[in-house]
Amino acid sequence: MHRESYADQLDYELDRLPGEVTTAITWFMKEHEIDRAELARLLDVTRGRVSQILSGDENLTLRTLAAVAAALDAHFEVRLVSNGQTVSPDGHQPLGGNPFEQSPPVDR
């Protein structure tokens, strides 16, 4: 099995994750017609702070992500799949994978 070096994989994930998270947030905001000014109001922060959060350049903490999710009355769903594994079109089930490799949805 070929595996990139740990350092290469770490660099890749550090480059990729912020963009994925901020893309998900901005998509959700667009779908729910929430602009940056409204998100700032909901978070009780400045519009500049919202721009920092959504820039993808910042190392976002779990607390910040939780605050954004709560402000948007939403939640994040996280999955961890092996490199090279294909995910189903709905984004929930790895194709050909073991269903026990991911955690079940949380009922709220």
Side-chain angles (χ1 to χ4, degrees), residues 54-69:
L54 298 179
S55 72
D57 294 334
E58 183 176 322
N59 185 7
L60 298 174
T61 65
L62 293 176
R63 180 173 298 281
T64 299
L65 294 176
V68 169

Side-chain angles (χ1 to χ4, degrees), residues 5-63:
S5 75
Y6 172 79
D8 289 343
Q9 184 68 25
L10 177 60
D11 287 343
Y12 172 76
E13 291 299 325
L14 288 171
D15 286 342
R16 186 187 65 77
L17 281 171
E20 272 199 29
V21 170
T22 56
T23 297
I25 294 168
T26 55
W27 175 87
F28 185 93
M29 290 171 61
K30 182 177 179 182
E31 289 293 308
H32 292 86
E33 299 179 351
I34 299 170
D35 63 15
R36 289 176 181 220
E38 178 65 7
L39 180 58
R41 185 189 70 73
L42 293 167
L43 287 169
D44 194 26
V45 298
T46 66
R47 286 171 49 178
R49 177 64 183 132
V50 168
S51 290
Q52 286 176 333
I53 291 168
L54 298 179
S55 72
D57 294 334
E58 183 176 322
N59 185 7
L60 298 174
T61 65
L62 293 176
R63 180 173 298 281

